[in-house]
Amino acid sequence: MATNNVRVREPWPLDETDTVIVRQLQRDARTPNNQLAELAGIAPSTCLARVRSLVDRGVITGFEARVDPAALGLGLQALISVSVRSGARHRMAEFSAEMRRMPDVLQLFFLGGSEDFILHIAARDSAHVRDFVLEHLSAHPFVASTRTSMVFEHVDRAVTIP
Amino acid sequence: MATNNVRVREPWPLDETDTVIVRQLQRDARTPNNQLAELAGIAPSTCLARVRSLVDRGVITGFEARVDPAALGLGLQALISVSVRSGARHRMAEFSAEMRRMPDVLQLFFLGGSEDFILHIAARDSAHVRDFVLEHLSAHPFVASTRTSMVFEHVDRAVTIP
DNA sequence: CATGAAAAGTCTAAAGG
DNA sequence: CCTTTAGACTTTTCATG
């Protein structure tokens, strides 16, 4: 039996109406409730209740504005694979918490496999990438090695509703 | 109403007011304009103009609802590094376009360095991951090799406004 | 669960400093 | 670039099917 749940979870069937609502909110989180209702073919008050329920059930986890790093002068992105020293394996949670406090870090993946972490960072230029790696990774007592790759293209899509 | 302005990229001249607005919209894209104005210490109509300007300037690229893949039955995530056969290097754009059409793909990174792509996928279970790799990658004529790592933890943060 | 109607609140254009 | 004003529009609550 599937026992891998992080918290109690409703079985995932979104009905037709919820699916329409969620897809539209993925496209535009600020769609007015009455337009959303019309798209879904229900009354605005019903639609409001549906949206609230989707949030309460944890299907929708937030509404956020996307910001283009390049428009803020952060025109470069990199992925950095990080291997943790074997003696520091038990402190990876600590390392992870430290990394997510760095303003340059966009994403952190904690992995099973030959690499321990992948960091996705935004930077002004290659000197900024280099400084990040040297100051925050290579010099870090938990870090065994790193490998940096420049990101030429990044596609970030919303999860597709089945 | 997307007006197709050519966007001149002015690196990061966000003043104090824009910064407050953008930070709040990153936290909650549906903050009412009124509240946003009050937070920023300006009149609502001014705030409205600021938000529009941020969108027009390409600083804010969209407003979206976040959906938890696990709540849809996709409780597992993986990163898959893909190396492209040297004979297919000139067709990587084609490959990239193909991959982003797959519903399982959350993100695609096109990289410079020893690996060509990293795919971030969401899956129901490990059989789903295996099937994805076997059917869409290993069997693909452009693909030389792949390496799959399970994602134990994923932190995705909004870009920090300097 | 879904609805309509009414109250409460919000949006936004225009005109003016 | 910012503000005020005022009408139109949206959201939200709640009594009821």
Side-chain angles (χ1 to χ4, degrees):
Chain A
M1 247 57 63
T3 52
N4 58 340
N5 46 323
V6 173
R7 64 186 134 144
V8 181
R9 233 184 252 309
E10 289 281 308
W12 61 87
L14 294 194
D15 67 16
E16 186 85 11
T17 303
D18 282 341
T19 302
V20 171
I21 291 172
V22 173
R23 286 221 182 95
Q24 178 57 30
L25 290 175
Q26 284 180 308
R27 239 176 261 128
D28 179 6
R30 308 218 294 182
T31 308
N33 182 60
N34 54 7
Q35 272 181 47
L36 208 53
E38 192 173 14
L39 274 169
I42 56 181
S45 52
T46 310
C47 189
L48 194 66
R50 289 274 190 161
V51 173
R52 281 211 267 250
S53 156
L54 286 161
V55 172
D56 288 348
R57 280 146 64 201
V59 175
I60 294 174
T61 56
F63 299 94
E64 55 181 46
R66 284 220 170 199
V67 172
D68 180 9
L72 302 174
L74 301 168
L76 229 60
Q77 295 180 28
L79 288 189
I80 309 167
S81 304
V82 178
S83 295
V84 168
R85 288 198 309 119
S86 50
R89 277 275 145 69
H90 58 114
R91 295 172 75 181
M92 293 210 291
E94 201 180 320
F95 180 76
S96 158
E98 222 173 294
M99 284 306 118
R100 96 184 61 171
R101 266 185 258 111
M102 316 270 4
D104 313 294
V105 172
L106 299 176
Q107 294 183 80
L108 175 147
F109 297 87
F110 176 14
L111 300 177
S114 50
E115 287 153 334
D116 297 307
F117 289 101
I118 289 188
L119 299 175
H120 178 203
I121 72 166
R124 284 181 298 283
D125 49 36
S126 58
H128 184 175
V129 176
R130 179 201 63 205
D131 291 348
F132 178 86
V133 173
L134 292 180
E135 288 170 27
H136 299 116
L137 299 175
S138 306
H140 195 290
F142 297 175
V143 171
S145 67
T146 68
R147 198 159 42 87
T148 302
S149 303
M150 288 299 159
V151 175
F152 292 149
E153 188 189 352
H154 178 211
V155 178
D156 188 354
R157 296 198 345 186
V159 60
T160 303
I161 315 293
Chain B
M1 267 156 238
T3 45
N4 275 339
N5 308 358
V6 174
R7 277 156 193 163
V8 182
R9 170 160 309 146
E10 303 217 355
W12 92 78
L14 291 197
D15 64 16
E16 185 85 12
T17 303
D18 282 341
T19 302
V20 170
I21 291 172
V22 173
R23 286 220 181 97
Q24 178 57 29
L25 290 175
Q26 285 180 307
R27 238 176 260 128
D28 179 6
R30 309 218 293 181
T31 309
N33 185 58
N34 271 344
Q35 277 179 43
L36 209 53
E38 193 174 12
L39 274 169
I42 56 180
S45 56
T46 309
C47 188
L48 194 67
R50 288 272 191 161
V51 173
R52 281 210 268 250
S53 157
L54 286 162
V55 172
D56 288 347
R57 280 146 63 202
V59 175
I60 293 174
T61 57
F63 299 94
E64 55 181 49
R66 283 219 174 202
V67 172
D68 178 10
L72 302 174
L74 301 167
L76 229 61
Q77 294 180 28
L79 288 190
I80 309 166
S81 304
V82 178
S83 295
V84 168
R85 286 199 309 121
S86 49
R89 278 275 144 68
H90 58 114
R91 295 172 75 181
M92 293 211 291
E94 201 180 319
F95 179 77
S96 158
E98 222 172 295
M99 285 304 120
R100 95 184 61 170
R101 265 185 259 112
M102 316 270 3
D104 313 293
V105 172
L106 299 176
Q107 294 184 79
L108 176 147
F109 297 88
F110 176 13
L111 300 176
S114 49
E115 287 152 335
D116 297 307
F117 289 102
I118 289 187
L119 299 175
H120 178 203
I121 72 166
R124 284 181 297 282
D125 49 35
S126 58
H128 185 174
V129 176
R130 179 201 62 205
D131 291 349
F132 178 86
V133 173
L134 292 180
E135 287 169 27
H136 299 116
L137 298 175
S138 306
H140 197 290
F142 296 176
V143 171
S145 67
T146 67
R147 197 159 44 86
T148 301
S149 303
M150 288 298 157
V151 175
F152 292 148
E153 188 190 352
H154 179 212
V155 178
D156 187 354
R157 296 197 345 186
V159 61
T160 303
I161 316 293

